[in-house]
């Protein structure tokens, strides 16, 4: 691992690729997770009907972030959440709209379960008829057997109908609850701050939306259908057992709390295993997601084998954990059956029936009739055994269900955890400045800022800058100096740690964020991300209500109309995932169209042309020159040639402006800027 870490760190110092940075992080993560101590465990369990009521909270991680200010080595940011509780009131909110259907399903399931209890008793009656006929060989066998047989047949029929009915209703409830959960979770995720996405991997978030909700849905359906049936059957059989033999049933009552207690204990352990196993699955998904999402970079570095190893490592760990969980559940079931069958009930059945059959005793006292004794015992034994058999089957299915409940509750708790998250920067609410009075003046006043994931590392320090209305201000400077961070603060992806960002003299924290982003600021960055839909839809993303004519007009302004109409499908051309079927310059011009269609007062260009070759840069630059007219523009630039006509050029270093002026002023100063120009010219000549 150390070797891997060294190799990857070397790569990043060569400034190769962001992807390598993330690989490096992963290497660090693996080494730290292997050496880190296991988290503290606070077991919590409640005796009683353990399966359904034990709290999901098991142990607690303390959230912490690490930062190494003096060292440029990528630092791992670990955001560990406390283990979430399963919140019943949140579940209730989802179940409430389906309550009627659910109640119907429960009633049908309950009916089916009650009929199930009748079956052993009916079987007993049937056996009695057969036994009597075999023993006495008198009477009309067909006539006597017909009654119980038809009753049994009818019972099975009705039970079948009830079963189909509740399964249909229950699957409807399950699917709708799951769909509502997915939609709400997705909405909640989209609402989160950018900082949230800095700290959480996309793969893990997608896992919440897919695997966790799927798991929860299966558990939910199973608990209601099988759980209800099994519990009803257990209780019903218990009552029947009591009627047949109170003494033996008393013994069972004594033994059962011990079983439930042991079950709760093992259950709390299994729940912990299950949660860890699910987290591991999400981790493996995250690795695959990252590799597939960046497949070109993986291929460019011939890293397929390494990615495979990383994925295999995570998958093997998850496999091992799930195997442990399976073993735990198996042992639990085994113990349950063993205890029930071998230790307590079976040896006592005959004894219990014989000693408890008061009917037999009374009859014997009066008549001393041995054949009656045998007949009575036979009937009781058959009934008792049938009931016991059904009760054990129900208990066994409860124990199988138990594993599912454990997994379902952990999944549900993880989903509910994200549902409850509130963004620190609310998307809506706050004031709007009327369009006709908006000038587009921006002031950064004494802004200091650290990224939430690296609180110890101050990126901006008492930074002040004014973007006058309809003027172009460019920021240049060393890599990592904080240029893009300024743009992020203007977009309000983050809020400053101290100081304010103002728009037309108003603190942007008091303004409606949705309005600010959708109508005031147009943002174009170095690597425009397009969606895998048509060109038309991608441009319309900037203004969903835009007409086709508006889309075409925006494309014309961005120098994009020509190449778009050159495609066989024109504006209906599908651009592929992330716009993979377009060239860099074409993608950039579509991104410019997308920003221009909302006619923003402020335009932020974050190194918009730095990834392009000379010809593409010329075409895109033309588009940008046209787009910036009459707007307040903030340009974050690498290539100094593109910003020479800016009204103000600021040179940034270590989170501060160290020099500011026009191109000519700065050149004549002979300071940082002229040094940058000289260095860039020298690089260009190499
Ligand atoms: N999302 C983030 N979370 C934590 N730290 C970040 C994040 N984004 C940037 N940083 C850190 O903030 C500092 C400033 O980054 P920023 O991207 O603003 O620099 P820059 O001047 O735009 O660099 P470049 O010219 O290379 O794009 C860097 O040290 C960087 O590592």
């Amino acid at each position: 691992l150390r070797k891997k870490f060294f190799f990857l760190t070397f790569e990043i110092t060569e400034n190769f690729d962001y992807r390598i940075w993330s690989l490096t992080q992963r290497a660090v993560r693996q080494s730290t997770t292997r050496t880190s101590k296991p988290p503290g465990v606070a077991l919590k369990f409640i005796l009683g009907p353990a399966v359904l009521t034990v709290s999901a909270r098991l142990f607690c991680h303390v959230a912490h972030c690490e930062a190494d200010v003096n060292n440029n080595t990528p630092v791992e940011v670990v955001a560990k959440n406390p283990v979430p509780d399963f919140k019943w009131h949140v579940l209730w909110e989802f179940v409430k709209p389906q309550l009627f259907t659910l109640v119907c399903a429960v009633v049908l399931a309950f009916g089916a379960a009650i009929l199930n209890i009748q079956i052993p008793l009916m079987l007993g009656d049937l056996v009695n008829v057969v036994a009597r006929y075999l023993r006495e060989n008198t009477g009309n066998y067909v006539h006597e057997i017909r009654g119980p047989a038809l009753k049994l047949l009818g019972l099975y029929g009705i039970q079948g109908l009830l079963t189909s009915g509740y399964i249909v209703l229950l699957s409807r409830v399950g699917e709708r609850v799951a769909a509502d959960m997915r939609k709400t979770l997705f909405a909640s995720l989209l609402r989160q701050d950018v900082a949230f996405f800095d700290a959480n991997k996309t793969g893990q978030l997608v896992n919440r939306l897919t695997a966790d909700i799927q798991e929860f849905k299966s558990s939910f359906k199973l608990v209601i259908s099988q759980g209800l049936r099994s519990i009803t059957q257990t209780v019903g059989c218990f009552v029947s057992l009591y009627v047949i033999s109170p003494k033996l049933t008393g013994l069972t009552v004594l033994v059962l709390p011990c079983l439930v207690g042991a079950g709760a204990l093992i259950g709390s352990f299994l729940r912990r295993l299950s949660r860890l196993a699910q987290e591991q699955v999400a981790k493996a998904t995250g690795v695959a997601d990252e590799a597939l999402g960046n497949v070109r970079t993986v291929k460019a570095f011939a890293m397929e084998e390494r990615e495979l190893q990383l994925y295999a490592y995570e998958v093997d760990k998850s496999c091992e954990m799930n195997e442990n969980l399976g073993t735990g559940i198996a042992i639990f079931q085994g113990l349950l059956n063993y205890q029930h069958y071998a230790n307590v009930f079976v040896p006592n059945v005959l004894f219990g029936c014989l000693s408890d059959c008061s009917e037999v005793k009374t009859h014997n006292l009066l008549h001393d009739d041995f054949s009656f004794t045998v007949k009575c015992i036979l009937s009781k034994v058959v009934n008792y055994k049938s009931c016991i058999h059904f009760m054990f089957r129900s208990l066994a299915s409860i124990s199988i269900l138990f594993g599912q409940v454990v997994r379902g509750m952990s999944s549900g708790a993880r989903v509910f955890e994200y549902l409850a998250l509130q963004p620190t920067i609310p998307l809506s609410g706050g004031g709007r400045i009327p369009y006709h009075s908006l000038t587009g003046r921006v002031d950064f006043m004494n802004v200091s800022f650290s990224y939430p994931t690296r609180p110890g590392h101050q990126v901006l320090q008492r930074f002040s800058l004014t973007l006058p209305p309809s003027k172009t201000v460019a920021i240049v400077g060393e890599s990592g100096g904080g240029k893009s961070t300024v743009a992020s603060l203007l977009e309000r992806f983050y809020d400053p740690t101290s100081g304010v960002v103002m728009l037309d003299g108003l603190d942007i924290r008091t303004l409606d964020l949705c309005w600010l982003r959708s109508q005031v600021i147009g943002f174009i960055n170095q690597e425009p991300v397009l969606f895998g839909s048509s060109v038309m839809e991608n441009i319309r993303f900037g203004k969903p209500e835009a007409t086709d004519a508006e889309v075409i007009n925006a494309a014309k302004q961005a120098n994009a109309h020509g190449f778009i109409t050159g495609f066989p499908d024109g504006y209906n051309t599908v651009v592929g995932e992330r716009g993979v079927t377009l060239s860099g310059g074409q993608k950039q011009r579509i991104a410019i169209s997308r920003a221009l269609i909302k006619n923003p007062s402020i335009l932020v260009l974050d190194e918009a042309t730095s990834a392009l070759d000379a010809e593409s840069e010329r075409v895109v630059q033309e588009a940008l020159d046209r787009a910036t007219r009459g707007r307040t523009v903030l340009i974050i630039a690498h290539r100094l040639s593109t910003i020479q006509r800016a009204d103000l050029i600021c040179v940034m270093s270590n989170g501060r402006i160290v020099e500011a002026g026009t191109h000519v002023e700065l050149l004549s100063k002979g300071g940082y800027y002229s040094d940058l120009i000289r260095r860039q010219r020298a690089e260009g000549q190499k």
Side-chain angles (χ1 to χ4, degrees), residues 372-437:
F372 180 83
T373 308
V374 172
K375 193 175 106 188
C376 185
I377 288 174
L378 184 66
S379 143
K380 300 268 172 191
V381 167
V382 168
N383 275 350
Y384 205 96
K385 279 192 88 170
S386 300
C387 280
I388 276 244
H389 174 73
F390 267 87
M391 193 170 96
F392 287 162
R393 255 182 45 181
S394 306
L395 281 172
S397 67
I398 287 177
S399 77
I400 292 170
L401 203 63
F402 180 78
Q404 190 67 35
V405 171
V406 167
R407 282 194 289 269
M409 280 180 76
S410 315
S411 302
R414 282 147 56 91
V415 171
F416 296 165
E417 178 195 14
Y418 277 4
L419 288 183
L421 283 180
Q422 286 301 328
T424 48
I425 305 179
L427 274 178
S428 55
R432 296 176 176 211
I433 303 169
Y435 185 73
H436 54 271
S437 57

Side-chain angles (χ1 to χ4, degrees), residues 158-475:
I158 297 170
Q159 200 210 20
L161 282 177
L162 292 177
T163 306
S164 312
Y166 84 73
I167 288 175
V168 168
L169 294 181
L170 208 57
S171 90
R172 189 173 300 174
V173 174
E175 293 307 326
R176 288 182 186 179
V177 166
D180 284 350
M181 274 169 103
R182 280 206 175 100
K183 286 184 270 182
T184 318
L185 177 60
F186 188 56
S188 168
L189 290 177
L190 284 181
R191 262 201 319 271
Q192 298 310 312
D193 306 335
V194 174
F196 170 83
F197 296 96
D198 289 345
N200 292 281
K201 287 180 116 188
T202 327
Q204 284 178 341
L205 302 180
V206 171
N207 212 52
R208 294 273 198 282
L209 273 171
T210 51
D212 279 346
I213 292 186
Q214 183 66 29
E215 187 80 64
F216 180 77
K217 184 182 73 181
S218 310
S219 309
F220 177 80
K221 289 203 275 192
L222 260 179
V223 168
I224 301 212
S225 60
Q226 204 169 313
L228 194 75
R229 200 177 57 200
S230 303
I231 289 169
T232 315
Q233 272 174 208
T234 308
V235 173
C237 289
F238 215 82
V239 172
S240 305
L241 289 177
Y242 185 80
V243 171
I244 299 169
S245 170
K247 267 190 193 164
L248 185 56
T249 312
L251 190 67
T252 313
V253 169
L254 282 181
V255 172
L256 215 61
C258 306
L259 294 177
V260 171
L265 204 75
I266 301 172
S268 67
F269 171 70
L270 290 181
R271 246 193 325 277
R272 191 167 83 86
L273 267 187
S274 163
R275 195 184 53 73
L276 292 176
Q278 282 174 25
E279 276 177 11
Q280 187 53 39
V281 170
K283 220 166 158 186
T285 313
V287 174
D289 182 78
E290 211 171 21
L292 295 175
N294 297 301
V295 73
R296 281 163 187 259
T297 314
V298 172
K299 287 189 177 299
F301 284 84
M303 294 284 255
E304 289 93 339
E305 195 53 40
R306 185 179 294 270
E307 286 298 320
L308 184 60
Q309 280 169 12
L310 286 170
Y311 184 64
Y313 173 73
E314 301 295 356
V315 167
D316 286 346
K317 258 169 78 174
S318 117
C319 173
E320 192 185 316
M321 285 179 172
N322 276 311
E323 275 178 22
N324 289 344
L325 179 66
T327 311
I329 291 172
I331 291 173
F332 178 69
Q333 275 176 245
L335 282 178
L336 201 72
N337 288 343
Y338 174 74
Q339 269 182 295
H340 282 180
Y341 273 108
N343 282 355
V344 186
F345 296 108
V346 175
N348 283 298
V349 168
L350 286 173
F351 166 77
C353 282
L354 284 167
S355 61
D356 212 30
C357 194
S358 51
E359 202 184 337
V360 176
K361 285 178 196 159
T362 320
H363 192 90
N364 278 349
L365 277 177
L366 295 177
H367 307 286
D368 195 20
D369 179 354
F370 184 72
S371 72
F372 180 83
T373 308
V374 172
K375 193 175 106 188
C376 185
I377 288 174
L378 184 66
S379 143
K380 300 268 172 191
V381 167
V382 168
N383 275 350
Y384 205 96
K385 279 192 88 170
S386 300
C387 280
I388 276 244
H389 174 73
F390 267 87
M391 193 170 96
F392 287 162
R393 255 182 45 181
S394 306
L395 281 172
S397 67
I398 287 177
S399 77
I400 292 170
L401 203 63
F402 180 78
Q404 190 67 35
V405 171
V406 167
R407 282 194 289 269
M409 280 180 76
S410 315
S411 302
R414 282 147 56 91
V415 171
F416 296 165
E417 178 195 14
Y418 277 4
L419 288 183
L421 283 180
Q422 286 301 328
T424 48
I425 305 179
L427 274 178
S428 55
R432 296 176 176 211
I433 303 169
Y435 185 73
H436 54 271
S437 57
L438 181 68
T439 67
R441 177 193 165 100
V442 175
D443 296 280
F444 291 84
M445 296 175 73
N446 282 325
V447 170
S448 298
F449 177 71
S450 305
Y451 280 95
T453 43
R454 285 191 203 159
H457 178 48
Q458 198 156 58
V459 178
L460 297 184
Q461 300 168 39
R462 300 184 67 77
F463 173 88
S464 293
L465 173 68
T466 296
L467 313 183
S470 308
K471 298 281 183 211
T472 298
V473 175
I475 302 182

Side-chain angles (χ1 to χ4, degrees), residues 33-139:
T33 34
R34 280 182 195 178
T35 52
S36 62
K37 286 183 190 161
V41 177
L43 281 175
K44 178 184 173 192
F45 58 84
I46 304 164
L47 291 180
V51 174
L52 296 171
T53 58
V54 178
S55 158
R57 188 193 305 172
L58 289 168
F59 60 83
C60 197
H61 294 283
V62 179
H64 72 277
C65 298
E66 293 170 287
D68 186 349
V69 186
N70 302 320
N71 190 345
N72 282 336
T73 311
V75 189
E76 187 194 13
V77 175
V78 187
K80 284 176 183 158
N81 302 323
V83 175
D85 271 337
F86 185 85
K87 297 195 177 70
W88 291 99
H89 67 274
V90 182
L91 175 62
W92 171 242
E93 288 304 317
F94 287 107
V95 169
K96 215 163 44 181
Q98 315 300 333
L99 199 59
F100 180 70
T101 320
L102 182 63
V103 169
C104 292
V106 167
V107 169
L108 295 189
F110 195 67
I114 292 196
L115 290 189
N116 234 14
I117 301 168
Q118 300 299 316
I119 288 173
L121 302 176
M122 293 273 173
L123 275 173
D125 291 349
L126 207 72
V127 170
N128 281 344
V129 174
V130 177
R132 193 170 53 242
Y133 184 76
L134 287 175
R135 195 176 55 245
E136 296 167 4
N137 215 0
T138 55

Side-chain angles (χ1 to χ4, degrees), residues 591-669:
I592 296 171
S593 320
R594 184 171 66 184
L596 289 184
I597 200 168
K598 55 182 170 178
N599 193 18
S601 303
I602 299 169
L603 208 54
V604 180
L605 312 175
D606 191 354
E607 307 186 312
T609 55
S610 62
L612 305 178
D613 59 41
E615 176 53 21
S616 302
E617 184 190 340
R618 191 189 57 75
V619 186
V620 172
Q621 194 58 48
E622 256 177 49
L624 287 176
D625 288 344
R626 203 175 311 149
T628 53
R629 256 174 245 146
R631 296 192 163 96
T632 305
V633 182
L634 176 65
I635 304 179
I636 313 289
H638 256 156
R639 293 196 187 170
L640 304 181
S641 55
T642 59
I643 48 127
Q644 290 178 2
R645 276 177 290 155
D647 298 294
L648 181 73
I649 299 171
C650 303
V651 185
M652 266 191 93
S653 173
N654 286 327
R656 292 169 192 271
I657 294 180
V658 288
E659 218 173 53
T662 60
H663 174 68
V664 179
E665 285 167 0
L666 291 177
L667 270 188
S668 62
K669 255 191 192 171

Side-chain angles (χ1 to χ4, degrees), residues 8-33:
L8 293 167
T9 312
F10 171 75
E11 297 282 85
I12 189 132
T13 53
E14 293 293 292
N15 202 9
F16 269 10
D17 195 274
Y18 164 77
R19 172 74 185 126
I20 303 304
W21 182 81
S22 77
L23 283 171
T24 315
Q25 277 206 318
R26 215 184 297 155
V28 180
R29 189 157 49 247
Q30 283 175 10
S31 59
T32 47
T33 34

Side-chain angles (χ1 to χ4, degrees), residues 541-552:
F541 193 75
K543 185 180 174 190
E545 69 279 9
T547 59
D548 287 3
E550 282 178 275
V551 171
I552 292 168

